[in-house]
């Protein structure tokens, strides 16, 4: 009887220890605003937290979906959440990932400066962070910063823009969020090309904060002040599509060349329909899956095998090759 009681007590203690270490996995609940699902191997790999801007933007949804799928393929659990470009919400989500003892965080951040502290906090807590799409203004904190080659993509888009406008005409530039380094890098890439053509005249430059409705409103105001516009170049496709809607409402779309950046399915559809001229596609899925692969490598070996700063070249999408592309990737 004493041996039986001793064995039962040992089993109870052992099971409790496994549960405390996350061995059971079933008792964990997603953080607020997150969804969680287990991979094929259950909790064997632990948790990878995926945090991005709003999934209302198809680019961010595509990278979140790709990261989730790759992590679960490798045997991890996942939690997927959006910070909605709110640094405070981002901090809360990172704190939740730390408290859940996540093995890694895949993060498309909410500000190049505002994200430094939360990334450092996660790193110091033993949770490695792998940044995708957007860099932070610091190195040596995140394990990887994997971004599209925004300068190269912007120059591709701008060259196509200039050619479509026959190197002359009045144009408008719509810029993204000031807190996002991608906005300034893309704007500079546009300028590096367009400035070489003296007959290209910028008549307005407005920030629409990556937002379609804001781009529509800003473009409406610009048109009211100056209808003599031959081109619009935008820092992302969402703003480009807002400009398309405003130009269409003003009966000017057939006279204006519109070029965007991202390679979203909606933009590619607009290119096929003749409403946009081109976009620079950045491979969202490739960046996200690369981040998960490097996280897996780091979890297993303590190293990623890569430099911290990594870039992926963009591709120009026009009516001639639009059928070759799917959801932020070649078919």
């Amino acid at each position: 009887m004493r041996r039986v009681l001793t064995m039962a007590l040992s089993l109870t203690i052992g099971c409790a220890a496994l549960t405390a270490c996350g061995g059971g996995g079933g008792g964990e609940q997603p953080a607020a605003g997150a969804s969680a699902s287990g991979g094929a191997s259950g909790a064997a790999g632990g948790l990878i937290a995926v945090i991005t801007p709003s999934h209302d933007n198809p680019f961010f949804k595509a990278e979140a979906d790709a990261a989730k799928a790759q992590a679960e393929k490798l045997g991890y659990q996942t939690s997927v959440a959006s910070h909605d470009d709110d640094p405070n919400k981002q901090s809360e989500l990172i704190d939740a990932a730390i408290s859940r003892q996540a093995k890694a965080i895949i993060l498309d951040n909410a500000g190049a400066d505002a994200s430094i502290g939360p990334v450092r906090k996660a790193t110091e807590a033993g949770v490695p962070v792998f940044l995708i799409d957007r860099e932070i203004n610091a190195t040596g904190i995140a394990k990887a910063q994997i971004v599209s080659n925004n300068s190269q993509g912007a120059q591709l888009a701008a060259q196509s823009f200039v050619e479509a406008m026959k190197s002359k005409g009045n144009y408008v530039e719509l810029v993204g969020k000031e807190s996002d380094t991608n906005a300034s890098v893309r704007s500079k890439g546009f300028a590096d090309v367009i400035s070489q053509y003296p007959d290209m005249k910028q008549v307005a430059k407005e920030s629409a904060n990556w937002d379609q409705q804001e781009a529509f409103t800003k473009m409406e105001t610009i048109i009211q002040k100056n209808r003599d516009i031959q081109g619009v170049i935008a820092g992302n496709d969402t703003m480009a599509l807002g400009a398309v809607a405003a130009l269409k409402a003003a009966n000017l779309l057939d006279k204006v060349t519109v070029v965007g950046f991202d390679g979203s399915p909606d933009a590619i559809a607009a290119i096929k329909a003749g409403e946009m001229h081109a976009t620079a596609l950045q491979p969202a899925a490739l960046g996200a899956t690369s981040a998960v692969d490097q996280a897996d490598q780091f979890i297993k070996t303590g190293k990623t095998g890569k430099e911290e700063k990594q870039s992926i070249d963009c591709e120009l999408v026009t009516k001639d090759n639009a059928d070759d592309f799917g959801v932020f990737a070649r078919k």
Side-chain angles (χ1 to χ4, degrees):
M1 179 63 72
R2 183 177 296 169
R3 284 198 301 270
V4 170
L5 288 172
T6 301
M7 289 175 64
L9 180 60
S10 298
L11 285 170
T12 300
I13 293 169
C15 289
L18 281 172
T19 302
C21 295
E28 294 282 15
Q29 296 298 319
S35 61
S37 56
S41 300
L47 174 70
I48 289 182
V50 180
I51 305 171
T52 71
S54 172
H55 296 178
D56 290 344
N57 184 316
F59 178 86
F60 301 129
K61 185 177 188 307
E63 65 181 9
D65 288 348
K68 177 179 184 293
Q70 185 68 3
E72 294 183 358
K73 177 182 176 182
L74 293 172
Y76 295 92
Q77 287 184 312
T78 59
S79 69
V80 179
S82 169
H83 53 58
D84 297 323
D85 280 310
D86 180 346
N88 292 326
K89 186 175 180 182
Q90 174 180 260
S91 293
E92 292 171 1
L93 291 168
I94 288 175
D95 285 346
I98 294 169
S99 70
R100 295 184 66 191
Q101 299 180 334
K103 293 295 185 71
I105 296 171
I106 309 299
L107 175 66
D108 191 337
N109 71 75
D113 292 314
S115 302
I116 295 172
V119 171
R120 180 181 285 114
K121 183 177 182 180
T123 300
E124 290 175 349
V127 182
V129 181
F130 297 79
L131 299 175
I132 54 175
D133 179 45
R134 301 172 177 176
E135 297 174 305
I136 57 174
N137 290 329
T139 56
I141 304 172
K143 299 306 176 194
Q145 301 195 49
I146 306 169
V147 301
S148 298
N149 190 337
N150 285 281
S151 179
Q152 172 260 353
Q155 290 177 30
L156 275 179
Q159 191 60 56
S160 182
F161 182 63
V162 169
E163 290 169 2
M165 290 183 63
K166 297 181 171 55
S167 306
K168 62 183 180 180
N170 297 330
Y171 75 96
V172 173
E173 181 183 351
L174 296 176
V175 187
K177 282 183 178 292
E178 291 182 5
S179 62
D180 186 345
T181 53
N182 288 348
S184 58
V185 171
R186 291 174 194 176
S187 184
K188 183 180 183 301
F190 294 156
D192 286 346
V193 172
I194 298 172
S195 63
Q196 299 176 48
Y197 300 88
D199 292 331
M200 297 281 292
K201 306 292 184 183
Q202 187 180 92
V203 295
K205 181 177 181 179
E206 295 276 356
S207 172
N209 293 304
W210 305 130
D211 185 76
Q212 186 164 337
Q213 182 58 48
E214 189 170 344
F216 176 84
T217 303
K218 293 284 178 72
M219 199 67 213
E220 271 192 325
T221 302
I222 291 167
I223 291 168
Q224 288 168 7
K225 294 178 180 178
N226 184 2
R227 291 179 64 88
D228 186 21
I229 298 167
Q230 287 77 52
V232 177
I233 190 164
N236 77 346
D237 287 337
T238 307
M239 295 188 298
L241 291 166
V244 165
L247 291 164
K248 193 182 292 186
N251 295 315
L252 290 176
L253 186 58
D254 60 342
K255 302 174 184 176
V256 180
T257 297
V258 180
V259 168
F261 194 113
D262 274 346
S264 74
D266 287 344
I268 292 175
I271 289 168
K272 291 178 180 179
E275 296 178 342
M276 281 179 60
H277 171 69
T279 182
L281 181 140
Q282 51 174 340
L286 178 58
T289 55
S290 295
V292 172
D293 287 341
Q294 290 175 41
D296 179 57
Q297 178 79 0
F298 185 83
I299 290 164
K300 291 174 177 175
T301 69
K303 298 178 182 179
T304 65
K306 302 283 186 180
E307 298 290 329
E308 178 183 338
K309 290 286 191 88
Q310 303 164 48
S311 67
I312 305 170
D313 280 351
C314 302
E315 295 189 70
L316 185 70
V317 182
T318 65
K319 202 165 188 174
D320 291 341
N321 67 354
D323 288 333
D324 297 339
F325 295 89
V327 182
F328 297 100
R330 279 191 174 271
K331 290 179 180 177

